[in-house]
Amino acid sequence: MTPPLGDIAHLGHVELLTPDPDRSLWFFTTILGLTENGRSGDSVHLRTWDDYEHHSLTLTAHPTPGIRRTALRAAGAEALHRRVKEAEAAGFPGRWVEDEPGIGPLYVTSDPDGHELALYWETEWYEAPPELKPGLKNQPQAKPAHGVGVRRLDHVNFLASDVAPNAAFTRDVLGARPTEQIVLDSGRLAAQWLTFTNKSYDIVYTEDWSGSRGRLHHIAFATDTREDILRAADLCLDNGVHIETGPHKHAIQQTFFLYVYEPGGNRVELCNPLTRLILAPDWPLITWTQAERAKGQAWGLKTIESFHTHGTPPVD
């Protein structure tokens, strides 16, 4: 049975691994407009301007790119312990750590595919230094005067060797609600989009055509407007950042988007989903067929993965 919605408040932050930490830091600060907010060991902690917490993203030096941790903030202390109890009862025991600045105890577990997930409640609310004080008291930090100026970390798209058990874990153990999915002609679940909030999605699982486990498809940052994404495309072009596809509009979830690769090798999406919310408590799960996905994106752009080449449908 799916637990009541509300135990997980939102997607908190992620830790990315990068073999080129200096250039990755340049990309996230100069191009996207994140603010550095401390360092620990080989890691740099960065924040989007509208995040109320200490950091939105941690960059950690590593021989290969990828994602190490995705942290989800619970709706309270009791909610956190309910999810911990549920994870342990479902056979996903974890450990308690206190290894991130500004964040209280984290319960670190993993999904069936091996992606590290951390649940927490206690958090330090960000206090902007004088040079970053906003003009309005109801935002945590002044908007950046450079780069894209992304507003928040929006979602994480995980690659999974088998989508179904990972989506079930996120739904049944963590309490997410699925909103859209891709089902192949064979009946296999190839991708599913899930939300913890009224946003249309927070976490996505996409089938990994290579059969690997624990990999990342992309992380995404939300912008205020579609025009910000067009500006991002120009900034990336001018600064030698590889644009993979877009700007364009996804068919699934209708997000206006741009896919780029940051210098460390991680795919990053810039997206504008701000006006699409799931407000209906009885929202039906929307299923896309293999033939429907083969048509490409909303306005005909071919998707980045080819079903005919890799055996999985193109994904958003």
Side-chain angles (χ1 to χ4, degrees):
M1 176 182 294
T2 301
L5 291 174
D7 276 359
I8 300 298
H10 63 83
L11 172 64
H13 53 274
V14 298
E15 180 181 2
L16 279 188
L17 306 175
T18 171
D20 195 348
D22 292 338
R23 290 285 292 168
S24 291
L25 180 61
W26 164 83
F27 170 82
F28 285 105
T29 55
T30 302
I31 302 299
L32 295 196
L34 275 69
T35 303
E36 184 175 334
N37 194 32
R39 301 190 177 207
S40 52
D42 292 332
S43 298
V44 182
H45 307 289
L46 306 170
R47 48 173 287 103
T48 58
W49 67 265
D50 201 31
D51 194 345
Y52 69 91
E53 297 189 87
H54 181 275
H55 56 277
S56 317
L57 169 70
T58 295
L59 290 176
T60 298
H62 192 267
T64 58
I67 192 165
R68 173 170 286 166
R69 176 178 295 178
T70 300
L72 305 169
R73 192 181 185 208
E78 292 184 1
L80 171 61
H81 287 284
R82 276 196 299 269
R83 291 306 102 217
V84 169
K85 183 178 180 180
E86 191 68 36
E88 292 178 343
F92 297 93
R95 67 189 190 281
W96 289 96
V97 302
E98 293 189 52
D99 59 1
E100 295 193 41
I103 304 294
L106 299 102
Y107 183 77
V108 180
T109 183
S110 63
D111 64 18
D113 212 63
H115 299 99
E116 183 177 292
L117 296 165
L119 312 179
Y120 69 99
W121 160 241
E122 295 178 23
T123 192
E124 170 189 301
W125 281 62
Y126 179 71
E127 290 286 340
E131 67 273 15
L132 294 176
K133 286 287 185 183
L136 298 174
K137 65 187 297 183
N138 57 357
Q139 68 186 53
Q141 177 185 325
K143 289 186 177 182
H146 64 277
V148 182
V150 293
R151 177 179 281 270
R152 68 162 189 267
L153 176 68
D154 188 76
H155 65 268
V156 178
N157 188 321
F158 295 118
L159 289 170
S161 58
D162 189 351
V163 170
N166 290 281
F169 167 86
T170 308
R171 182 186 68 240
D172 300 336
V173 174
L174 300 182
R177 175 171 50 159
T179 57
E180 302 194 32
Q181 63 183 9
I182 301 170
V183 177
L184 303 184
D185 294 345
S186 65
R188 190 169 80 250
L189 182 64
Q192 191 171 90
W193 286 250
L194 303 105
T195 183
F196 297 106
T197 63
N198 289 126
K199 286 173 56 213
S200 56
Y201 58 113
D202 294 296
I203 286 180
V204 187
Y205 281 100
T206 297
E207 187 174 63
D208 191 331
W209 60 266
S210 73
S212 302
R213 296 167 56 89
R215 295 205 304 159
L216 174 69
H217 190 280
H218 68 266
I219 64 169
F221 292 91
T223 65
D224 280 343
T225 68
R226 287 184 176 188
E227 286 71 23
D228 289 328
I229 293 177
L230 299 178
R231 170 176 164 78
D234 283 336
L235 288 174
C236 289
L237 178 65
D238 288 340
N239 289 276
V241 175
H242 176 65
I243 297 174
E244 183 181 28
T245 187
H248 212 269
K249 179 180 176 178
H250 287 311
I252 294 179
Q253 302 291 358
Q254 300 186 35
T255 309
F256 194 74
F257 73 95
L258 174 73
Y259 279 142
V260 304
Y261 272 90
E262 58 88 13
N266 294 294
R267 180 188 284 117
V268 175
E269 180 183 17
L270 301 178
C271 61
N272 184 245
L274 298 179
T275 58
R276 188 164 189 265
L277 300 174
I278 301 298
L279 300 176
D282 54 351
W283 177 265
L285 175 59
I286 295 172
T287 297
W288 298 79
T289 67
Q290 186 171 321
E292 289 168 336
R293 291 303 295 133
K295 293 179 181 179
Q297 301 295 357
W299 302 326
L301 181 73
K302 296 301 181 183
T303 45
I304 59 176
E305 296 288 351
S306 167
F307 172 74
H308 298 292
T309 301
H310 299 312
T312 57
V315 297
D316 287 333

